[in-house]
Coordinates of all heavy atoms in Angstrom, one line a residue:
M10 N -107.8 -20.1 -49.7 CA -108.9 -19.9 -48.9 C -109.2 -18.4 -48.8 O -110.4 -18.0 -48.7 CB -108.7 -20.4 -47.5 CG -108.7 -21.9 -47.4 SD -110.1 -22.7 -48.1 CE -111.3 -22.6 -46.7
Y11 N -108.2 -17.5 -48.8 CA -108.5 -16.1 -48.7 C -109.4 -15.6 -49.8 O -110.4 -14.9 -49.6 CB -107.2 -15.3 -48.8 CG -107.4 -13.8 -48.7 CD1 -107.5 -13.2 -47.5 CD2 -107.5 -13.0 -49.9 CE1 -107.7 -11.8 -47.4 CE2 -107.7 -11.7 -49.8 CZ -107.8 -11.0 -48.6 OH -108.1 -9.7 -48.5
V12 N -109.1 -16.0 -51.1 CA -110.0 -15.6 -52.2 C -111.4 -16.2 -52.0 O -112.4 -15.4 -52.2 CB -109.4 -16.1 -53.5 CG1 -110.3 -15.8 -54.7 CG2 -108.0 -15.4 -53.8
D13 N -111.5 -17.4 -51.7 CA -112.8 -18.0 -51.6 C -113.6 -17.4 -50.4 O -114.8 -17.2 -50.5 CB -112.7 -19.5 -51.3 CG -112.2 -20.3 -52.6 OD1 -112.6 -19.8 -53.7 OD2 -111.5 -21.3 -52.4
D14 N -113.0 -17.1 -49.3 CA -113.6 -16.5 -48.2 C -113.9 -15.0 -48.3 O -114.9 -14.5 -47.7 CB -112.8 -16.7 -46.9 CG -112.7 -18.2 -46.5 OD1 -113.6 -19.0 -47.0 OD2 -111.8 -18.5 -45.7
H15 N -113.1 -14.3 -49.0 CA -113.2 -12.8 -49.0 C -113.6 -12.2 -50.3 O -114.4 -11.3 -50.4 CB -111.9 -12.2 -48.5 CG -111.5 -12.5 -47.1 ND1 -112.1 -12.0 -46.0 CD2 -110.7 -13.5 -46.7 CE1 -111.6 -12.5 -44.9 NE2 -110.7 -13.4 -45.3
L16 N -113.1 -12.7 -51.4 CA -113.5 -12.2 -52.7 C -114.7 -12.8 -53.3 O -115.4 -12.2 -54.1 CB -112.3 -12.3 -53.7 CG -111.1 -11.5 -53.4 CD1 -110.0 -11.7 -54.5 CD2 -111.3 -10.1 -53.2
M17 N -115.0 -14.0 -53.0 CA -116.1 -14.8 -53.5 C -117.4 -14.6 -52.7 O -118.3 -15.3 -52.8 CB -115.8 -16.2 -53.7 CG -114.7 -16.5 -54.6 SD -115.0 -16.1 -56.3 CE -116.3 -17.3 -56.7
C18 N -117.4 -13.6 -51.9 CA -118.6 -13.3 -51.0 C -119.7 -12.7 -51.8 O -119.6 -12.2 -52.9 CB -118.2 -12.4 -49.8 SG -117.7 -10.8 -50.3
E19 N -120.9 -12.7 -51.2 CA -122.1 -12.1 -51.8 C -121.9 -10.6 -51.8 O -121.5 -10.0 -50.9 CB -123.3 -12.5 -51.0 CG -124.6 -12.0 -51.6 CD -125.8 -12.4 -50.8 OE1 -125.8 -13.5 -50.2 OE2 -126.8 -11.6 -50.7
I20 N -122.3 -10.0 -53.0 CA -122.3 -8.6 -53.2 C -123.6 -8.2 -53.8 O -123.9 -8.6 -54.9 CB -121.1 -8.2 -54.1 CG1 -119.8 -8.6 -53.5 CG2 -121.1 -6.7 -54.4 CD1 -118.6 -8.5 -54.5
E21 N -124.4 -7.4 -53.1 CA -125.7 -7.0 -53.6 C -126.5 -8.1 -54.1 O -127.1 -8.1 -55.1 CB -125.5 -5.9 -54.6 CG -124.8 -4.6 -54.1 CD -124.7 -3.6 -55.2 OE1 -125.1 -3.8 -56.3 OE2 -124.0 -2.6 -54.9
G22 N -126.5 -9.2 -53.3 CA -127.4 -10.4 -53.6 C -126.8 -11.3 -54.7 O -127.5 -12.2 -55.1
Q23 N -125.6 -11.0 -55.2 CA -125.0 -11.8 -56.2 C -123.6 -12.4 -55.8 O -123.0 -11.7 -54.9 CB -124.8 -11.1 -57.5 CG -126.2 -10.6 -58.1 CD -126.0 -9.9 -59.4 OE1 -124.9 -9.8 -59.9 NE2 -127.1 -9.4 -60.0
H24 N -123.2 -13.5 -56.3 CA -121.9 -14.1 -56.0 C -121.1 -14.1 -57.2 O -121.5 -14.5 -58.3 CB -122.1 -15.5 -55.5 CG -122.7 -15.7 -54.2 ND1 -122.0 -15.6 -53.0 CD2 -124.0 -15.9 -53.8 CE1 -122.8 -15.8 -52.0 NE2 -124.0 -15.9 -52.4
P25 N -119.8 -13.6 -57.1 CA -118.9 -13.7 -58.3 C -118.7 -15.2 -58.6 O -118.8 -16.1 -57.8 CB -117.6 -13.1 -57.8 CG -117.9 -12.4 -56.5 CD -119.2 -13.0 -56.0
T26 N -118.4 -15.5 -59.9 CA -118.2 -16.9 -60.3 C -116.7 -17.2 -60.3 O -116.3 -18.4 -60.3 CB -118.7 -17.1 -61.7 OG1 -118.1 -16.2 -62.6 CG2 -120.2 -17.0 -61.8
A27 N -115.8 -16.2 -60.3 CA -114.4 -16.4 -60.2 C -113.7 -15.1 -59.7 O -114.2 -14.0 -59.9 CB -113.8 -16.8 -61.6
A28 N -112.6 -15.3 -59.0 CA -111.9 -14.1 -58.6 C -110.4 -14.5 -58.4 O -110.1 -15.6 -58.2 CB -112.4 -13.7 -57.2
A29 N -109.5 -13.5 -58.5 CA -108.1 -13.7 -58.3 C -107.4 -12.5 -57.8 O -107.9 -11.4 -58.1 CB -107.5 -14.2 -59.5
I30 N -106.3 -12.6 -57.2 CA -105.4 -11.6 -56.9 C -104.0 -12.1 -57.3 O -103.9 -13.3 -57.6 CB -105.4 -11.1 -55.4 CG1 -105.3 -12.3 -54.5 CG2 -106.7 -10.4 -55.1 CD1 -105.3 -11.9 -53.0
V31 N -103.0 -11.3 -57.3 CA -101.7 -11.7 -57.9 C -101.2 -13.0 -57.3 O -100.7 -13.8 -57.9 CB -100.7 -10.6 -57.8 CG1 -99.3 -11.0 -58.2 CG2 -101.1 -9.4 -58.6
W32 N -101.3 -13.1 -56.0 CA -100.7 -14.3 -55.3 C -101.6 -15.4 -55.0 O -101.2 -16.4 -54.4 CB -100.0 -13.8 -54.0 CG -100.7 -12.9 -53.1 CD1 -100.7 -11.5 -53.1 CD2 -101.7 -13.3 -52.1 NE1 -101.6 -11.1 -52.2 CE2 -102.2 -12.1 -51.6 CE3 -102.1 -14.5 -51.6 CZ2 -103.1 -12.1 -50.5 CZ3 -103.1 -14.5 -50.6 CH2 -103.6 -13.3 -50.1
A33 N -102.9 -15.3 -55.3 CA -103.8 -16.4 -55.1 C -105.0 -16.4 -56.0 O -105.3 -15.3 -56.5 CB -104.3 -16.4 -53.6
H34 N -105.7 -17.5 -56.2 CA -106.9 -17.5 -57.0 C -107.8 -18.6 -56.5 O -107.4 -19.5 -55.9 CB -106.6 -17.6 -58.5 CG -105.8 -18.9 -58.8 ND1 -106.5 -20.1 -59.0 CD2 -104.5 -19.2 -59.0 CE1 -105.6 -21.0 -59.3 NE2 -104.4 -20.5 -59.2
C35 N -109.1 -18.5 -56.9 CA -110.1 -19.5 -56.5 C -109.9 -20.7 -57.4 O -109.2 -20.6 -58.5 CB -111.5 -19.0 -56.6 SG -112.1 -18.6 -58.2
E36 N -110.4 -21.8 -57.1 CA -110.2 -23.1 -57.8 C -110.7 -23.0 -59.3 O -110.0 -23.5 -60.1 CB -111.0 -24.2 -57.1 CG -110.4 -24.7 -55.9 CD -111.1 -25.8 -55.3 OE1 -111.8 -26.6 -56.0 OE2 -111.0 -26.0 -54.0
N37 N -111.8 -22.3 -59.6 CA -112.3 -22.2 -60.9 C -111.8 -21.0 -61.7 O -112.4 -20.7 -62.8 CB -113.8 -22.4 -60.9 CG -114.5 -21.2 -60.3 OD1 -113.9 -20.5 -59.5 ND2 -115.7 -21.0 -60.6
F38 N -110.8 -20.3 -61.3 CA -110.3 -19.2 -62.0 C -109.6 -19.7 -63.3 O -108.9 -20.7 -63.3 CB -109.3 -18.3 -61.2 CG -109.1 -17.0 -61.8 CD1 -110.0 -16.0 -61.5 CD2 -108.0 -16.7 -62.5 CE1 -109.8 -14.7 -62.0 CE2 -107.7 -15.4 -63.1 CZ -108.7 -14.4 -62.8
P39 N -109.9 -19.0 -64.5 CA -109.4 -19.6 -65.7 C -107.9 -19.5 -65.8 O -107.2 -18.7 -65.2 CB -110.0 -18.6 -66.8 CG -110.3 -17.4 -66.0 CD -110.6 -17.8 -64.6
Q40 N -107.3 -20.5 -66.6 CA -105.9 -20.5 -66.9 C -105.6 -19.3 -67.8 O -106.2 -19.1 -68.9 CB -105.5 -21.8 -67.6 CG -104.1 -21.9 -68.0 CD -103.2 -22.1 -66.7 OE1 -103.6 -22.7 -65.8 NE2 -102.0 -21.5 -66.8
L41 N -104.7 -18.4 -67.4 CA -104.3 -17.2 -68.1 C -103.3 -17.6 -69.2 O -102.4 -18.4 -69.1 CB -103.7 -16.2 -67.2 CG -104.6 -15.7 -66.1 CD1 -103.9 -14.6 -65.3 CD2 -105.9 -15.1 -66.6
K42 N -103.5 -16.9 -70.4 CA -102.6 -17.0 -71.5 C -101.5 -16.0 -71.3 O -101.7 -15.0 -70.7 CB -103.4 -16.7 -72.8 CG -104.5 -17.7 -73.0 CD -105.3 -17.3 -74.3 CE -106.5 -18.2 -74.4 NZ -107.3 -17.9 -75.6
P43 N -100.3 -16.3 -71.8 CA -99.2 -15.4 -71.7 C -99.5 -14.0 -72.2 O -99.1 -13.0 -71.5 CB -98.0 -16.1 -72.5 CG -98.4 -17.5 -72.5 CD -99.9 -17.6 -72.5
E44 N -100.2 -13.8 -73.3 CA -100.5 -12.5 -73.8 C -101.4 -11.8 -72.9 O -101.4 -10.5 -72.8 CB -101.0 -12.6 -75.2 CG -102.3 -13.3 -75.4 CD -102.1 -14.8 -75.7 OE1 -101.0 -15.4 -75.4 OE2 -103.0 -15.4 -76.2
E45 N -102.3 -12.5 -72.2 CA -103.2 -11.8 -71.2 C -102.4 -11.3 -70.0 O -102.7 -10.2 -69.5 CB -104.3 -12.8 -70.7 CG -105.2 -13.3 -71.9 CD -106.1 -14.4 -71.5 OE1 -105.8 -15.2 -70.5 OE2 -107.1 -14.6 -72.2
I46 N -101.4 -12.0 -69.6 CA -100.6 -11.6 -68.4 C -99.8 -10.4 -68.9 O -99.7 -9.4 -68.1 CB -99.7 -12.7 -68.0 CG1 -100.5 -13.9 -67.4 CG2 -98.6 -12.2 -67.0 CD1 -99.7 -15.1 -67.1
T47 N -99.3 -10.4 -70.1 CA -98.5 -9.3 -70.6 C -99.4 -8.0 -70.7 O -98.9 -6.9 -70.3 CB -97.9 -9.6 -72.0 OG1 -97.1 -10.7 -71.9 CG2 -97.2 -8.4 -72.6
A48 N -100.6 -8.2 -71.1 CA -101.5 -7.0 -71.2 C -101.8 -6.4 -69.9 O -101.9 -5.2 -69.7 CB -102.8 -7.4 -71.9
I49 N -102.0 -7.3 -68.9 CA -102.2 -6.8 -67.5 C -101.0 -6.0 -67.0 O -101.1 -4.9 -66.4 CB -102.6 -8.0 -66.6 CG1 -103.9 -8.6 -67.0 CG2 -102.6 -7.5 -65.1 CD1 -104.2 -9.9 -66.3
L50 N -99.8 -6.6 -67.2 CA -98.6 -5.9 -66.7 C -98.4 -4.6 -67.4 O -98.0 -3.6 -66.8 CB -97.4 -6.8 -66.9 CG -97.4 -8.1 -66.1 CD1 -96.2 -9.0 -66.5 CD2 -97.3 -7.8 -64.6
N51 N -98.7 -4.6 -68.7 CA -98.6 -3.3 -69.5 C -99.6 -2.3 -69.0 O -99.2 -1.1 -68.9 CB -98.9 -3.6 -71.0 CG -97.8 -4.3 -71.7 OD1 -96.6 -4.3 -71.2 ND2 -98.1 -4.8 -72.8
D52 N -100.8 -2.7 -68.5 CA -101.7 -1.7 -68.0 C -101.2 -1.1 -66.7 O -101.5 0.1 -66.4 CB -103.1 -2.3 -67.8 CG -104.2 -1.3 -67.6 OD1 -104.5 -0.6 -68.6 OD2 -104.6 -1.1 -66.5
F53 N -100.5 -1.8 -65.9 CA -99.9 -1.3 -64.7 C -98.8 -0.2 -65.0 O -98.7 0.7 -64.3 CB -99.4 -2.4 -63.8 CG -100.4 -3.1 -63.0 CD1 -100.8 -4.4 -63.3 CD2 -101.1 -2.4 -61.9 CE1 -101.8 -5.0 -62.5 CE2 -102.0 -3.0 -61.2 CZ -102.4 -4.3 -61.5
N54 N -98.1 -0.5 -66.1 CA -97.1 0.5 -66.5 C -97.6 1.6 -67.3 O -97.1 2.7 -67.3 CB -96.0 -0.3 -67.4 CG -95.2 -1.2 -66.5 OD1 -95.0 -1.0 -65.4 ND2 -94.8 -2.4 -67.1
E55 N -98.7 1.4 -68.1 CA -99.4 2.4 -68.9 C -100.9 2.3 -68.6 O -101.7 1.8 -69.4 CB -99.2 2.1 -70.4 CG -97.7 2.1 -70.8 CD -97.6 1.7 -72.3 OE1 -98.5 2.0 -73.1 OE2 -96.6 1.0 -72.6
P56 N -101.3 2.9 -67.5 CA -102.7 2.9 -67.0 C -103.6 3.3 -68.2 O -103.4 4.3 -68.8 CB -102.7 3.8 -65.8 CG -101.4 3.8 -65.3 CD -100.5 3.7 -66.5
G57 N -104.7 2.6 -68.3 CA -105.7 2.9 -69.3 C -105.5 2.1 -70.6 O -106.3 2.2 -71.5
S58 N -104.4 1.4 -70.8 CA -104.1 0.7 -72.0 C -105.1 -0.4 -72.3 O -105.3 -0.8 -73.5 CB -102.7 0.2 -72.1 OG -102.5 -0.8 -71.1
L59 N -105.7 -1.0 -71.3 CA -106.7 -2.1 -71.5 C -108.1 -1.6 -71.8 O -108.9 -2.3 -72.4 CB -106.8 -3.0 -70.2 CG -105.6 -3.9 -70.0 CD1 -105.8 -4.6 -68.6 CD2 -105.5 -4.9 -71.1
A60 N -108.4 -0.4 -71.4 CA -109.8 0.2 -71.5 C -110.3 0.1 -73.0 O -111.5 -0.4 -73.2 CB -109.9 1.6 -71.0
P61 N -109.6 0.4 -74.0 CA -110.1 0.4 -75.4 C -110.4 -1.0 -75.9 O -111.4 -1.2 -76.6 CB -109.0 1.0 -76.2 CG -108.2 1.8 -75.3 CD -108.2 1.1 -74.0
T62 N -109.6 -2.0 -75.5 CA -109.8 -3.4 -76.0 C -110.4 -4.3 -75.0 O -110.9 -5.4 -75.4 CB -108.4 -4.0 -76.4 OG1 -107.6 -4.0 -75.2 CG2 -107.7 -3.2 -77.5
G63 N -110.4 -4.0 -73.7 CA -110.9 -4.9 -72.7 C -109.8 -5.7 -72.1 O -108.7 -5.8 -72.6
L64 N -110.2 -6.4 -71.0 CA -109.2 -7.3 -70.3 C -109.7 -8.7 -70.6 O -110.9 -9.0 -70.5 CB -109.4 -7.0 -68.8 CG -108.7 -8.0 -67.8 CD1 -107.2 -8.0 -68.0 CD2 -109.2 -7.7 -66.4
Y65 N -108.8 -9.5 -71.0 CA -109.1 -10.9 -71.3 C -108.4 -11.8 -70.3 O -107.2 -11.6 -70.0 CB -108.5 -11.3 -72.7 CG -109.4 -10.7 -73.8 CD1 -109.2 -9.4 -74.3 CD2 -110.4 -11.4 -74.4 CE1 -110.0 -8.9 -75.3 CE2 -111.2 -10.9 -75.4 CZ -111.0 -9.6 -75.9 OH -111.7 -9.1 -76.8
L66 N -109.2 -12.7 -69.7 CA -108.7 -13.7 -68.8 C -109.2 -15.1 -69.2 O -110.4 -15.3 -69.3 CB -109.3 -13.4 -67.4 CG -108.9 -12.1 -66.8 CD1 -109.7 -11.9 -65.5 CD2 -107.4 -12.0 -66.6
G67 N -108.3 -15.9 -69.6 CA -108.7 -17.3 -70.1 C -109.5 -17.2 -71.3 O -110.3 -18.0 -71.6
G68 N -109.3 -16.2 -72.2 CA -110.0 -16.0 -73.4 C -111.4 -15.3 -73.3 O -112.1 -15.1 -74.2
T69 N -111.8 -15.0 -72.0 CA -113.1 -14.3 -71.8 C -112.8 -12.8 -71.7 O -111.9 -12.4 -70.9 CB -113.7 -14.9 -70.5 OG1 -114.0 -16.3 -70.7 CG2 -115.1 -14.1 -70.2
K70 N -113.6 -12.0 -72.3 CA -113.5 -10.6 -72.3 C -114.2 -10.0 -71.1 O -115.3 -10.3 -70.8 CB -114.0 -10.0 -73.6 CG -113.8 -8.5 -73.7 CD -114.3 -7.9 -75.0 CE -114.0 -6.4 -75.0 NZ -114.3 -5.9 -76.4
Y71 N -113.5 -9.0 -70.5 CA -114.0 -8.2 -69.4 C -113.9 -6.7 -69.7 O -112.9 -6.3 -70.3 CB -113.3 -8.5 -68.1 CG -113.5 -9.9 -67.6 CD1 -112.7 -11.0 -68.1 CD2 -114.4 -10.3 -66.6 CE1 -112.9 -12.3 -67.7 CE2 -114.6 -11.6 -66.2 CZ -113.8 -12.6 -66.8 OH -114.0 -13.9 -66.4
M72 N -114.9 -5.9 -69.3 CA -114.8 -4.5 -69.5 C -114.1 -3.9 -68.3 O -114.4 -4.2 -67.2 CB -116.2 -3.9 -69.6 CG -117.0 -4.3 -70.8 SD -118.6 -3.6 -70.9 CE -119.1 -3.1 -69.3
V73 N -113.1 -3.1 -68.6 CA -112.4 -2.4 -67.5 C -113.3 -1.2 -67.1 O -113.7 -0.4 -67.8 CB -111.0 -1.8 -68.0 CG1 -110.3 -1.1 -66.9 CG2 -110.1 -3.0 -68.5
I74 N -113.6 -1.2 -65.8 CA -114.6 -0.3 -65.3 C -114.0 0.8 -64.4 O -114.5 1.9 -64.4 CB -115.8 -0.9 -64.5 CG1 -115.3 -1.8 -63.4 CG2 -116.6 -1.7 -65.5 CD1 -116.3 -2.4 -62.5
Q75 N -112.9 0.5 -63.8 CA -112.2 1.5 -62.9 C -110.9 0.9 -62.4 O -110.6 -0.2 -62.7 CB -113.1 2.0 -61.8 CG -113.5 0.9 -60.8 CD -114.2 1.5 -59.6 OE1 -113.8 2.5 -59.0 NE2 -115.3 0.9 -59.3
G76 N -110.2 1.6 -61.6 CA -109.0 1.1 -61.0 C -108.2 2.2 -60.4 O -108.7 3.4 -60.4
E77 N -107.1 1.9 -59.9 CA -106.2 2.8 -59.4 C -104.9 2.6 -60.1 O -104.3 1.5 -60.1 CB -105.9 2.6 -57.9 CG -107.1 2.8 -57.0 CD -106.9 2.5 -55.6 OE1 -105.8 2.9 -55.0 OE2 -107.7 1.8 -55.0
P78 N -104.5 3.6 -61.0 CA -103.3 3.4 -61.8 C -102.1 2.8 -61.1 O -101.7 3.3 -60.0 CB -103.0 4.8 -62.3 CG -104.4 5.5 -62.3 CD -105.0 5.0 -61.1
G79 N -101.6 1.8 -61.7 CA -100.4 1.1 -61.1 C -100.7 0.3 -59.9 O -99.8 -0.3 -59.3
V80 N -102.0 0.2 -59.4 CA -102.3 -0.5 -58.2 C -103.3 -1.6 -58.4 O -103.1 -2.7 -58.0 CB -102.8 0.5 -57.1 CG1 -103.2 -0.2 -55.8 CG2 -101.8 1.6 -56.8
V81 N -104.5 -1.3 -59.0 CA -105.5 -2.3 -59.2 C -106.3 -2.0 -60.5 O -106.4 -0.9 -60.9 CB -106.5 -2.3 -58.0 CG1 -107.2 -0.9 -57.9 CG2 -107.5 -3.4 -58.0
I82 N -106.7 -3.1 -61.1 CA -107.6 -3.0 -62.3 C -108.9 -3.7 -61.9 O -108.9 -4.8 -61.5 CB -106.9 -3.8 -63.5 CG1 -105.6 -3.2 -63.8 CG2 -107.9 -3.8 -64.7 CD1 -104.7 -4.1 -64.8
R83 N -110.0 -3.0 -62.1 CA -111.3 -3.5 -61.8 C -112.0 -3.7 -63.2 O -112.0 -2.8 -64.0 CB -112.1 -2.6 -60.9 CG -111.5 -2.6 -59.5 CD -112.4 -1.8 -58.6 NE -111.8 -1.7 -57.3 CZ -111.0 -0.7 -56.8 NH1 -110.7 0.3 -57.6 NH2 -110.5 -0.7 -55.6
A84 N -112.6 -4.9 -63.3 CA -113.3 -5.2 -64.6 C -114.5 -6.0 -64.3 O -114.6 -6.6 -63.2 CB -112.4 -5.9 -65.5
K85 N -115.5 -6.0 -65.2 CA -116.6 -6.9 -65.1 C -116.8 -7.6 -66.4 O -116.4 -7.1 -67.5 CB -117.9 -6.1 -64.7 CG -118.5 -5.2 -65.8 CD -119.7 -4.5 -65.2 CE -120.9 -4.9 -66.0 NZ -122.1 -4.2 -65.6
K86 N -117.4 -8.8 -66.3 CA -117.6 -9.6 -67.5 C -118.4 -8.9 -68.6 O -119.5 -8.4 -68.3 CB -118.2 -10.9 -67.2 CG -118.1 -12.0 -68.2 CD -118.5 -13.3 -67.7 CE -118.4 -14.4 -68.8 NZ -118.8 -15.7 -68.3
A87 N -117.9 -8.8 -69.8 CA -118.6 -8.2 -70.9 C -119.8 -9.1 -71.2 O -119.8 -10.3 -71.2 CB -117.7 -8.0 -72.1
I88 N -120.9 -8.4 -71.6 CA -122.1 -9.2 -72.0 C -122.2 -9.3 -73.5 O -121.9 -8.5 -74.2 CB -123.4 -8.4 -71.4 CG1 -123.2 -8.4 -69.9 CG2 -124.6 -9.1 -71.8 CD1 -124.3 -7.6 -69.2

């Protein structure tokens, strides 16, 4: 419920289609592949490692747009 109530809220007139945090996710968040999880963990250890290739979640590519090294990765769906 936290994700659905807080992360899936309207932002500038738009609604995210999926959202997740480490300990919870919305119902329609994609199933992550092991290599995607590894890439995310590597970016926390080596900040910026995802930027050149993008972040993949369930096979969908996202552009890394900003973050706080070792704390949060922010990305948006690549077009």
Side-chain angles (χ1 to χ4, degrees):
M10 291 306 279
Y11 179 86
V12 173
D13 292 326
D14 292 342
H15 298 282
L16 296 181
M17 298 295 291
C18 63
E19 183 177 326
I20 301 169
E21 297 180 3
Q23 298 184 3
H24 289 274
T26 57
I30 53 178
V31 173
W32 48 266
H34 60 83
C35 68
E36 289 183 24
N37 64 337
F38 197 79
Q40 180 67 36
L41 299 181
K42 299 175 183 179
E44 60 271 19
E45 295 169 341
I46 296 169
T47 299
I49 292 167
L50 294 173
N51 286 342
D52 195 73
F53 280 108
N54 293 326
E55 299 174 35
S58 64
L59 285 175
T62 59
L64 167 67
Y65 286 83
L66 300 173
T69 301
K70 184 176 182 176
Y71 295 82
M72 296 181 337
V73 177
I74 54 174
Q75 65 174 311
E77 296 175 45
V80 179
V81 66
I82 301 165
R83 292 187 182 93
K85 74 182 241 181
K86 192 170 185 180
I88 298 175

